[in-house]
Amino acid sequence: MNRNTAALFCLALRFLICEGANPCCSEPCQNRGVCTAMASDTYECDCTRTGFYGPNCTTPEFLTRLKLTLKPSPNTVHHLLTHFKGFWNIVNSISFLRDAIMRYVLTSRSHMIDSPPTYNSDYDYKNWEAYSNLSYYTRSLPPVPKECPTPMGVAGKKELPDAKILAEKLLLRREFIPDPQGTSLMFAFFAQHFTHQFFKSDMKKGPAFTLAKGHGVDLNHVYGDNLERQHKLRLFKDGKLKHQILDGEMYPPTVKEVGVEMHYPPFVPESDRFAVGHEAFGLVPGLMMYATIWLREHNRVCDVLKEIHPNWDDERLFQTTRLILIGETIKIVIEDYVQHLSGYNFKLKFDPELLFNQRFQYQNRIASEFNTLYHWHPLMPDSFHIEEEDYSYKQFVFNNSVVTKHGISNLVESFSKQIAGRVAGGRNVPGAVMHVAIKSVENSRKMRYQSLNAYRKRFSMKPYSSFEDLTGEKEMAAVLEEMYGHVDAVELYPGLLVEKPRTDAIFGETMVEMGAPYSLKGLMGNPICSPEYWKPSTFGGSVGFDIINTASLQKLVCNNVRGPCPVASFYVPDIKDTGSMIINSSTSNSRSSDVNPTLILKKRTTEL
């Protein structure tokens, strides 16, 4: 019995097996049709602008049928983009072809995200509160109705598996599985640093709420998320941020000096309590490394602007520099970060003008599902190799002395040399952060996420037909079947982590096809990408505009370290091609046994 037949069968026998349930529990409306429960256990599907019609929005219109016939599957597209390198080298060298393909990538992905926002965790129907209340994360799919026969609607068992047992059986690392795509720890820490400007759950209210005010790239993790914190971090001279000089290099100021709140346990000495925009970035040296690099870049750009605009006051220098750094961030994310994780041979391009003649809204709301899927803790290794030293988690967390002892250049080189873990495929979450994975499962249940298969359909993927179809193997599939009973009951977060990875890739299909639309909409929906902002005058003239348009991870590092510039890479470079790894390292084989995280690590890393 297929999925649609099962759903209709449940509805037909509602008085026998689904009595009293919301008729929308069985997800009868297909192809993004909206289900509304009516009287007498009936429902109505709104198929408006879906391209389908009929009682359940299952009959395609002529143009839709033609489009579906011609449209390749996401995996086919991925295969084309990650193979045939010679062909893509030609495309990348022809400007109008590259621009046309990039325009299609941006529009096809971004249009999958609802704008304006539609639902949140308290409202499964459109209303003004769900639209206007920015304290909520938005939702791509409404929550599962509370009146359903099972936690996932009508499929699966009446109770979900114990989160701790689920995590131990399917998520916990047995042995470190390196990412076959060659992702480095430089990428892993960038992902953590970059996303926590908009992933800031308000756990006092609950996981459905966010403390972030901007819902996008505003660099509040550099400048603070409110004016009071920003002012405490600012020098109020030449537009710069406060800093200290240690061994001839610039580092963040101390908490004692600036008086902002940071999350440090009592054992951290005052001299190592650095103060930056995000209160939790003292957690690990990888975060403080990036915080230091962006601090240096801000003050460097201020010097550049001061030289060409000697009459500008502190405020204008500060504000214009912030806009430039936002632009640098978006360019690096698209052309270095997303380029790496995509694995594409097609060369991605940051060019806001590609969208100026398109239907596009320059606004964004962060979705709770985006926050959930971005819990990429399998990236983390079993220990951290810096120069000739190896740090356990206990030695690494809340230890800013690692940053000053080794220096930014050596941290960049070491993190670029150490390989990260594979995210998809299951059983690769380090024991030290298992509590975060368990909490992610529990929070997802509080928000009543729909199933992995429901999200696959929402993002134009074929739902998995069996547990083996999902995992690509038999053993974990059997465990999933025992726990959930039906593949349509597999939860979103565990499903994303146990999903079979694409060939030689870090992620499975669902992670990429869900994550890319959220990411590109959030990046290109930034105000600086709009026609009103995207012009040289916004950034202090051609010099500031050029800083953005020539930005890269490598250039960011080289402009902000002393002496020879290390290779800064989101993938582990081939040592044969890079010589000593210095412009003008070794892979981890460690095991996850010996990990003994402290209580303070457990407390502070729940969100990170």
Side-chain angles (χ1 to χ4, degrees):
M1 184 180 296
N2 65 32
R3 179 181 177 80
N4 291 338
T5 304
L8 294 173
F9 182 71
C10 178
L11 287 170
L13 299 181
R14 183 162 304 283
F15 289 105
L16 295 177
I17 60 174
C18 300
E19 186 175 357
N22 184 326
C24 293
C25 289
S26 60
E27 302 172 33
C29 305
Q30 303 299 301
N31 301 303
R32 298 191 65 180
V34 178
C35 182
T36 302
M38 311 298 284
S40 304
D41 292 326
T42 60
Y43 64 91
E44 181 179 281
C45 289
D46 184 351
C47 308
T48 305
R49 289 184 289 279
T50 63
F52 293 82
Y53 63 93
N56 295 324
C57 308
T58 54
T59 306
E61 298 170 357
F62 174 76
L63 290 178
T64 303
R65 189 185 302 274
L66 183 64
K67 179 180 176 182
L68 291 174
T69 302
L70 298 174
K71 185 178 180 181
S73 71
N75 277 332
T76 299
V77 173
H78 181 81
H79 179 82
L80 292 172
L81 288 167
T82 54
H83 292 73
F84 314 108
K85 189 171 184 178
F87 169 77
W88 289 113
N89 286 341
I90 296 172
V91 170
N92 292 334
S93 67
I94 302 174
S95 295
F96 80 91
L97 281 179
R98 183 186 176 200
D99 287 353
I101 294 173
M102 190 66 204
R103 185 180 296 109
Y104 174 76
V105 169
L106 292 173
T107 54
S108 62
R109 297 290 197 183
S110 298
H111 289 167
M112 298 186 77
I113 303 302
D114 293 330
S115 186
T118 48
Y119 312 107
N120 63 31
S121 292
D122 283 335
Y123 292 99
D124 60 359
Y125 55 92
K126 296 181 182 73
N127 62 86
W128 192 256
E129 180 71 11
Y131 162 74
S132 63
N133 192 335
L134 299 181
S135 65
Y136 282 94
Y137 290 112
T138 189
R139 290 281 290 265
S140 292
L141 283 179
V144 176
K146 293 180 179 179
E147 312 84 13
C148 294
T150 73
M152 305 309 290
V154 298
K157 300 183 177 182
K158 291 187 178 296
E159 290 187 6
L160 292 169
D162 179 87
K164 188 172 185 293
I165 295 174
L166 168 70
E168 289 174 348
K169 287 188 174 182
L170 294 170
L171 305 184
L172 178 64
R173 176 176 293 165
R174 274 65 169 166
E175 182 179 5
F176 176 71
I177 305 172
D179 169 38
Q181 213 167 303
T183 299
S184 71
L185 285 194
M186 196 69 179
F187 175 95
F189 288 125
F190 187 95
Q192 193 176 20
H193 187 269
F194 166 71
T195 58
H196 279 83
Q197 62 189 297
F198 43 79
F199 294 153
K200 299 184 71 174
S201 297
D202 185 349
M203 289 307 175
K204 291 182 180 179
K205 290 184 178 180
F209 295 87
T210 176
L211 294 167
K213 300 174 177 62
H215 283 268
V217 181
D218 60 5
L219 270 57
N220 70 74
H221 61 328
V222 176
Y223 302 109
D225 60 2
N226 59 73
L227 200 58
E228 180 184 6
R229 188 178 185 93
Q230 178 199 117
H231 284 179
K232 288 181 177 180
L233 292 170
R234 284 176 61 178
L235 187 62
F236 286 105
K237 181 181 179 182
D238 297 334
K240 294 184 177 183
L241 296 170
K242 290 178 180 176
H243 56 277
Q244 60 175 320
I245 302 298
L246 300 173
D247 192 26
E249 292 196 280
M250 184 183 298
Y251 289 94
T254 63
V255 171
K256 183 178 181 180
E257 178 188 351
V258 300
V260 300
E261 179 186 358
M262 292 289 293
H263 295 167
Y264 289 109
F267 62 78
V268 177
E270 285 188 353
S271 61
D272 289 338
R273 298 187 181 199
F274 292 165
V276 296
H278 196 295
E279 62 275 6
F281 276 6
L283 176 69
V284 288
L287 293 174
M288 194 56 68
M289 173 194 71
Y290 274 114
T292 302
I293 291 172
W294 284 113
L295 164 68
R296 293 178 182 181
E297 177 67 359
H298 176 93
N299 288 352
R300 184 191 74 84
V301 172
C302 284
D303 285 335
V304 172
L305 291 179
K306 178 72 172 177
E307 185 174 349
I308 60 175
H309 299 290
N311 59 321
W312 277 13
D313 63 10
D314 169 79
E315 186 67 16
R316 186 163 188 180
L317 289 168
F318 171 83
Q319 297 295 351
T320 304
T321 296
R322 180 172 185 168
L323 292 178
I324 291 172
L325 263 65
I326 289 172
E328 287 187 82
T329 297
I330 296 174
K331 183 174 174 67
I332 290 170
V333 169
I334 290 178
E335 295 192 4
D336 287 332
Y337 177 86
V338 177
Q339 181 75 58
H340 168 72
L341 66 83
S342 72
Y344 292 169
N345 287 319
F346 171 67
K347 192 174 181 182
L348 301 177
K349 181 180 183 181
F350 172 52
D351 183 359
E353 293 186 17
L354 294 175
L355 295 176
F356 284 179
N357 294 321
Q358 304 295 311
R359 178 176 64 86
F360 192 80
Q361 297 187 19
Y362 293 95
Q363 58 175 310
N364 188 60
R365 283 280 292 278
I366 297 298
S368 61
E369 296 100 334
F370 189 31
N371 183 16
T372 295
L373 72 81
Y374 233 111
H375 283 63
W376 294 346
H377 294 92
L379 287 171
M380 289 293 104
D382 292 330
S383 61
F384 303 87
H385 309 312
I386 305 173
E387 295 189 274
E388 302 303 318
E389 296 193 45
D390 192 71
Y391 291 90
S392 68
Y393 277 80
K394 187 175 182 180
Q395 295 168 321
F396 198 66
V397 298
F398 295 114
N399 189 1
N400 285 332
S401 68
V402 170
V403 180
T404 53
K405 174 184 176 181
H406 294 280
I408 299 301
S409 185
N410 287 322
L411 289 178
V412 169
E413 181 182 2
S414 297
F415 292 149
S416 293
K417 287 165 56 179
Q418 185 171 355
I419 198 165
R422 189 183 69 190
V423 175
R427 295 174 175 166
N428 208 22
V429 176
V433 291
M434 267 293 290
H435 59 280
V436 188
I438 295 169
K439 196 67 176 178
S440 296
V441 174
E442 293 171 346
N443 287 339
S444 297
R445 293 173 179 180
K446 289 179 181 178
M447 293 185 285
R448 307 200 315 279
Y449 283 153
Q450 294 188 35
S451 68
L452 176 75
N453 265 346
Y455 280 99
R456 285 181 60 82
K457 292 196 296 181
R458 165 63 178 79
F459 286 89
S460 302
M461 290 171 277
K462 183 181 178 182
Y464 286 119
S465 58
S466 68
F467 292 102
E468 286 188 31
D469 187 27
L470 165 60
T471 64
E473 51 80 82
K474 296 181 181 295
E475 196 268 326
M476 282 193 297
V479 176
L480 281 169
E481 184 167 15
E482 180 184 355
M483 289 185 167
Y484 287 105
H486 196 286
V487 69
D488 284 347
V490 175
E491 299 169 89
L492 175 64
Y493 178 68
L496 288 167
L497 292 193
V498 302
E499 181 181 35
K500 59 180 179 286
R502 281 172 161 163
T503 304
D504 295 327
I506 187 171
F507 298 130
E509 179 188 33
T510 313
M511 184 76 81
V512 174
E513 299 304 318
M514 276 187 70
Y518 288 129
S519 179
L520 292 176
K521 176 61 173 71
L523 293 167
M524 300 307 296
N526 193 284
I528 73 159
C529 298
S530 68
E532 291 77 16
Y533 276 70
W534 189 250
K535 55 189 70 173
S537 57
T538 302
F539 309 101
S542 59
V543 173
F545 206 36
D546 186 62
I547 292 174
I548 296 174
N549 286 314
T550 60
S552 68
L553 176 69
Q554 186 67 68
K555 189 173 182 179
L556 175 68
V557 170
C558 288
N559 281 336
N560 293 290
V561 296
R562 183 175 59 180
C565 183
V567 169
S569 178
F570 287 148
Y571 68 95
V572 177
D574 188 332
I575 296 177
K576 291 181 296 183
D577 295 336
T578 54
S580 66
M581 304 296 296
I582 298 290
I583 295 177
N584 186 82
S585 149
S586 67
T587 302
S588 169
N589 292 314
S590 56
R591 298 181 299 275
S592 59
S593 51
D594 307 335
V595 174
N596 184 25
T598 62
L599 181 62
I600 193 71
L601 168 64
K602 184 172 183 178
K603 179 180 179 183
R604 295 302 187 190
T605 57
T606 299
E607 180 70 6
L608 295 174

